[in-house]
Each structure stands twice: as C-alpha cells, then as structure tokens.
Amino acid sequence: MASSRPCSSCGERSLANDDDGNSFCASCGAVQDFDNFQHSLGGISGPTGTFVHTGTAGSGSTFNYKETKIYYAKQNIERITSLFDFSPSKKDEVRVMVETVTKGEYGQGDWFPVLIGACTYVVMRRDNKSLALVEVGDKIGCDVHELGRMVSRVVQFMQLKLPEFDIVDSFQRAVRTCFVSLDNVDKVGRMLKQGIFLVQCMVKWYLTTGRRPLPVVVAVLVFVAQLNAVDVWIEDVAMELHVAVVTCKLRYKELLESLVKVAQVLPWGKDITVKNIVKNASFVLEYMELKSMSKRGEKRKVVDHVGFDMDDLVRSCLSEEAEYGLDNHGVENDSQYFNVQDKCSSPRGTRDDLETLKISHECLSMMFSEYSNKISNTDYLEECGCKNRMKKGRGFDLLDCREWWKGNSELSRKLLLKKILEKDVGLVAMPPSFVAGCLAYQRRREKIKAAKLRINKIMGPQNGDSGDNGNLCISDGVIVGKKRRRRMKVYVDWEDLIIETLLLHQVHEEEIEKGHYNTLLDLYVFNSGSMG
C-alpha cells in the first residue's frame, strides 16, 4: 500500500513496504532510511526492535555492557603493569587479584586504576620485592594517601600479611635506577657494597626505626657517591625517588653525625667533624669494617690496623717517589738530585752533615728548578702513570696509593635483623625518638621545678628562693633621649604558664612530665565539674 509520506529522494508520494518491512519509493526505487524502527515498550527485557537491541553496546557490536567493561578493564591492567616491567606471570597475578577483589565484575572510573596500583604494590611486596608506594602513585597519577588506603583495603579483604619492607633491596634498586648511565661496573659494585654496609649500620643505629625508608636510601646513596667521586646532588636523587628533599637532608645529617661519633676512637678522631667527615670516611669505614669482623677483646688490634704506620708514612713522604708521586721506573737520572738522603738518611742529621756535601746555593737552585719543570710537565706525569695522584693545590694524595675498602664484612651483604644487631661497628646508639623523649622529659622536669619556685616566691616570699631561678623576669635600663625607660626581659614562655596553671590546679608532676597539656587542661582547668 502506498504511503502518503513523500519520498526522501524524488518527493513523490508513492512509498510501499517490501516483505522485510522496509519502505521504498515505487517511482524511483529509493529505500527510505530509518523507516522501519519499531517502538518497543517495557523495561530492560522488553521487545527487540529491528535495528536497536536492548542491552547492546551500540550498533554493530556483539558484546554486551559487562563484556565491554571487562575488556577495557583488562586493557587498563595490561597498561599499568607494563609501567613496572612486569613479567607475564606477574601481570596475570595482578589480574587475578583484581578479579578476586571485585568478584569478577572489574570496574571502570577513576577508582579502578587506583585499585590496580594497590594490587600491583601488594603483589610486589608478597614477592619480597621493594616497590615504593610513592613510585606507584606517581606512575598511575593518584594521591599516595588514597593509594595507601586502597592498599589497606585490599590487604584486609584478601586477609594477607605483607612482609617487612626490605630497605637493602630498595637501595640496590635505587642504585640501578640512578646510576644506569655509569659505565664503570667495578665502581657501581663497590658503591653497592659500601651502601649496603652503611644502610645496615643505620638499621643497627635505629636511624630507620619509625622512619620512611626511602630518605635513608637517598642519604646513603649520596654519601657513597661522594666517597667514590661521582657527582650527585641530593635534590636530584630525591626527585628521582619521589621523596621530600628536607627529609633526605635530615637523614644525611644523621648519617654524618653517627660517623663522627664512630671516628672518635681513631687517634685523630677529635679533629673529625661533620664538615670533614667525607674526607676521613675511608679511615672510618675501614675501622668499622674491621670492627665488624673482629671478635670481642680485639679493640686495640683493630684500631692499630686502621690508617698508616706513622714511621713508614714519614719515610715515604720524604722519598723522591712519594714526594712527587713518581714510580721508580719513571725516575732515571733524578736520584742524583736527592743523594742527600743516602748520606743523611737519619731524620736527625745535623747541619754540619749537609755542609760536608759542599753544594752551592746556585747548584741547589738549578737542580730544584730543573726538577720542578719536569714535575710540572703533564706529558711526563702521564708517562709515569701518576697524573691522577696529583691534586691541584693539595699535592700528593695518600688515599690513592692504598686500597682501603675490602668488602669482606658480612654487613656488605644482606643480613637478617637479628644478625645485624649482633654486629659491632664501633658505636652503640639509642633510637633518636627515645633520646628526644628523654630530653623532653628532662626539660619539662626543669620547667616544673622553676615553676614551683616562682609559685612559692609569690605565695610565700619569706620561704622563696633568693636565687635567680625563681625570678619571673629581669629588667635593665635603657636610656632614650633624656629619659630612662626600663625594658623587661621576659624568660617565661607559654609552656611555663601552662605548667604553672596545672600546678596551681594540683595536677601531679608525673602527668605534666608527659606533655599532654591540652588533655590536662580539659580535665583539670576547663572542666567545671572539677572546679567545685
């Protein structure tokens, strides 16, 4: 039957329907588009139209909504795990964990990449591989606190118990990340052993207790890099490992201070400070290495083996080889200039012995000038193989002539915590938080004592202390123009006033020493029930 609707091609009103329900023009034969849509009533499971099927992903797709969601979710898992260079087995392990957590539903949205990152972190930690949470958050582009909460939920849902964070493995991973362009394999291996040794020493000194591990890794990495003449800035390493620069500098300062304490046992230890500890670190690390390998009762023996024999050092410095950094085969005709040593080998030779040589001042000046010119010749030094021994402005470097680092200590390899604590590296330290707490307790006890003296002096002047400890303030005279004005120097801060208030409310001193001032004020001062 012809339709009254005009044809979209020729405009004639001669439309008819074929056997499939499609409309076509009887005049021009053009098929009318979208003319066979059948309206379907009902819910999501209602009748199906000709072109539009309820519940499909769109025109031409054979997947429904759930299958499409799972497909894109697996693509996200593949993309994120590829950022961490995971093997196919590890990628499949992450996918299984995501599927278990979501009960096979997977997901989409901003929360789903966070879940994948959390599962990635959990898989690495279960495999005893160090992977920093900040690194995962940086690669997937989410907040580290949000990622941490998701990790906690995954661990709780899966009922897992993650192993402790391996700081040694984290240091090894940081070295491979930061020094990937360093071609000297021997130097990298040397830095790895020295860094593992220092990291485990910091574990023994409780410098990692209650702290984030990555700033400790940055501090040790920068220190061993400086020790091996590798140009590294602590800001660059901190940025590479995604940690705060300020925290890294604090850990670096604590490392230097600990090494200074260890160095006090050396004969010249009193002269070692934080400023020059890097220059003396070779001796300190040598002592620590020997100390960790020694048995009990060998303290004196270890100290004697550190450094140089002073007599040998003086003799070597006075010889022509050591004085100018030349080998014996590089000096052929120069020994004639220094025959004084043969005839006057004793360091206690007198002036008369030198005068017996009958060498004029002009001759000595000529020999010195000739030898100085030869020493200053760069080509000559390169031929002798001793250019690297000469340092500008400092002369001969003694450290280049001896191999101070052996790497034979067990602390140069990863050990269990129990074995680390059994080693002796020359310093027995307490946790910094414990030391700070003890100092805070002592400081508050002193403030309580001073507050009691001030209270007693005000309430009973005849019984008060006549010393300066009980004075609230001290005044001095200030002359302004022709007038004399008295300016007060106040020595009482807000903490002293709070302690005085608590003492007046008869709070026990043991409770005040703990420092929970807000709680004590709420209980004893601002609580109206206790005021009555």
Side-chain angles (χ1 to χ4, degrees):
M1 182 179 70
S3 175
S4 60
R5 200 160 52 82
C7 175
S8 60
S9 178
C10 63
E12 296 291 337
R13 297 181 181 273
S14 58
L15 298 181
N17 294 330
D18 57 8
D19 297 336
D20 296 331
N22 297 318
S23 298
F24 68 96
C25 180
S27 299
C28 64
V31 178
Q32 305 301 307
D33 295 333
F34 308 106
D35 196 51
N36 61 346
F37 174 73
Q38 299 177 6
H39 181 69
S40 58
L41 301 175
I44 202 169
S45 60
T48 303
T50 305
F51 285 156
V52 180
H53 293 261
T54 305
T56 59
S59 177
S61 175
T62 58
F63 296 101
N64 56 24
Y65 170 76
K66 181 178 180 180
E67 292 174 343
T68 306
K69 178 181 66 174
I70 293 175
Y71 172 76
Y72 286 113
K74 290 182 178 180
Q75 278 192 335
N76 280 334
I77 295 174
E78 178 70 23
R79 178 183 60 83
I80 292 176
T81 52
S82 299
L83 299 175
F84 302 96
D85 298 329
F86 274 17
S87 62
S89 60
K90 290 296 178 185
K91 292 180 180 179
D92 188 67
E93 191 174 349
V94 173
R95 183 191 60 78
V96 171
M97 185 173 292
V98 173
E99 183 179 359
T100 305
V101 172
T102 59
K103 298 181 180 180
E105 294 293 334
Y106 290 89
Q108 58 184 1
D110 296 336
W111 65 271
F112 191 66
V114 181
L115 175 62
I116 299 174
C119 294
T120 302
Y121 178 80
V122 172
V123 168
M124 289 292 288
R125 286 289 301 274
R126 288 179 61 187
D127 198 28
N128 290 324
K129 300 288 184 62
S130 63
L131 182 63
L133 204 62
V134 291
E135 182 179 352
V136 179
D138 180 74
K139 289 191 175 182
I140 66 176
C142 74
D143 183 66
V144 65
H145 301 286
E146 182 182 0
L147 180 62
R149 289 191 293 267
M150 185 65 76
V151 169
S152 178
R153 294 174 63 183
V154 170
V155 171
Q156 185 178 1
F157 180 83
M158 300 287 293
Q159 296 181 355
L160 300 175
K161 186 176 182 181
L162 299 180
E164 295 292 333
F165 190 88
D166 193 346
I167 190 173
V168 174
D169 187 71
S170 178
F171 174 78
Q172 294 174 340
R173 193 167 183 267
V175 171
R176 290 191 296 267
T177 302
C178 298
F179 300 113
V180 65
S181 60
L182 194 62
D183 298 331
N184 196 335
V185 180
D186 295 335
K187 181 175 287 189
V188 173
R190 182 188 183 96
M191 292 170 60
L192 275 173
K193 284 190 174 182
Q194 294 173 355
I196 293 173
F197 182 88
L198 286 176
V199 164
Q200 296 187 129
C201 288
M202 295 185 74
V203 173
K204 179 177 175 58
W205 296 333
Y206 302 100
L207 296 179
T208 60
T209 304
R211 270 88 175 273
R212 295 183 177 180
L214 285 185
V216 177
V217 170
V218 173
V220 175
L221 192 149
V222 172
F223 183 81
V224 297
Q226 293 178 352
L227 197 60
N228 291 273
V230 178
D231 294 332
V232 169
W233 294 93
I234 192 170
E235 292 83 4
D236 297 336
V237 180
M239 185 180 299
E240 183 71 22
L241 299 182
H242 313 287
V243 289
V245 179
V246 177
T247 311
C248 296
K249 290 183 177 180
L250 289 176
R251 300 291 91 81
Y252 182 77
K253 181 181 178 182
E254 291 177 350
L255 173 61
L256 298 184
E257 291 175 350
S258 300
L259 293 177
V260 169
K261 294 178 182 178
V262 176
Q264 300 306 307
V265 72
L266 298 177
W268 61 93
K270 301 299 180 183
D271 299 329
I272 297 178
T273 61
V274 176
K275 295 182 179 180
N276 59 11
I277 184 60
V278 177
K279 298 180 180 179
N280 296 275
S282 58
F283 303 105
V284 179
L285 291 182
E286 183 182 6
Y287 164 73
M288 294 169 60
E289 185 183 18
L290 294 174
K291 185 73 174 177
S292 64
M293 295 187 296
S294 65
K295 299 179 181 179
R296 295 184 179 274
E298 295 182 356
K299 178 179 179 182
R300 180 62 185 172
K301 183 178 179 181
V302 171
V303 175
D304 292 340
H305 280 76
V306 176
F308 299 98
D309 186 358
M310 191 58 64
D311 296 335
D312 294 338
L313 181 60
V314 172
R315 282 196 294 269
S316 62
C317 289
L318 293 177
S319 65
E320 70 265 25
E321 294 87 357
E323 180 70 21
Y324 296 99
L326 300 178
D327 298 331
N328 290 330
H329 65 274
V331 183
E332 297 178 356
N333 299 323
D334 298 329
S335 59
Q336 56 181 340
Y337 302 141
F338 296 95
N339 288 332
V340 178
Q341 185 181 1
D342 299 334
K343 297 182 180 181
C344 190
S345 59
S346 175
R348 298 180 182 178
T350 61
R351 183 177 180 181
D352 297 335
D353 297 332
L354 295 176
E355 291 179 354
T356 57
L357 297 175
K358 297 180 180 180
I359 300 177
S360 63
H361 296 285
E362 293 79 4
C363 183
L364 287 174
S365 176
M366 180 188 66
M367 289 188 295
F368 177 77
S369 300
E370 182 178 354
Y371 201 85
S372 298
N373 294 333
K374 185 176 292 187
I375 292 302
S376 61
N377 190 355
T378 307
D379 297 333
Y380 179 76
L381 292 178
E382 291 180 351
E383 292 177 0
C384 298
C386 56
K387 180 181 178 182
N388 293 332
R389 301 190 202 175
M390 301 294 293
K391 291 192 175 181
K392 184 177 179 180
R394 292 193 300 174
F396 183 66
D397 189 7
L398 296 172
L399 296 180
D400 292 339
C401 293
R402 56 189 296 270
E403 185 66 25
W404 57 270
W405 175 255
K406 303 297 187 300
N408 298 327
S409 174
E410 291 184 355
L411 286 174
S412 298
R413 299 178 295 272
K414 185 167 64 174
L415 300 177
L416 296 176
L417 179 60
K418 180 180 179 182
K419 204 161 187 179
I420 293 175
L421 298 177
E422 292 176 354
K423 294 293 182 180
D424 184 11
V425 291
L427 176 63
V428 179
M430 300 297 292
S433 58
F434 175 77
V435 175
C438 292
L439 294 176
Y441 267 75
Q442 183 179 358
R443 178 180 58 83
R444 284 191 286 265
R445 280 195 295 267
E446 295 295 331
K447 285 182 173 290
I448 292 172
K449 181 179 178 181
K452 291 173 66 176
L453 291 175
R454 290 192 297 269
I455 292 174
N456 292 334
K457 186 172 183 179
I458 293 174
M459 298 182 67
Q462 66 278 7
N463 298 327
D465 187 18
S466 59
D468 294 336
N469 292 331
N471 293 336
L472 287 173
C473 57
I474 300 176
S475 62
D476 59 348
V478 178
I479 300 177
V480 181
K482 296 182 180 181
K483 297 182 179 180
R484 184 179 181 90
R485 186 179 63 187
R486 302 185 68 85
R487 185 178 61 188
M488 309 300 292
K489 292 183 178 180
V490 181
Y491 292 96
V492 179
D493 57 5
W494 64 270
E495 188 176 6
D496 294 314
L497 297 177
I498 291 177
I499 291 175
E500 287 182 9
T501 304
L502 294 175
L503 289 174
L504 291 173
H505 285 78
Q506 298 180 355
V507 182
H508 295 290
E509 297 181 12
E510 293 78 6
E511 296 183 8
I512 301 177
E513 289 177 358
K514 297 178 181 179
H516 303 300
Y517 298 133
N518 292 334
T519 303
L520 295 176
L521 289 173
D522 292 338
L523 289 176
Y524 296 97
V525 179
F526 301 117
N527 191 353
S528 59
S530 62
M531 295 293 290

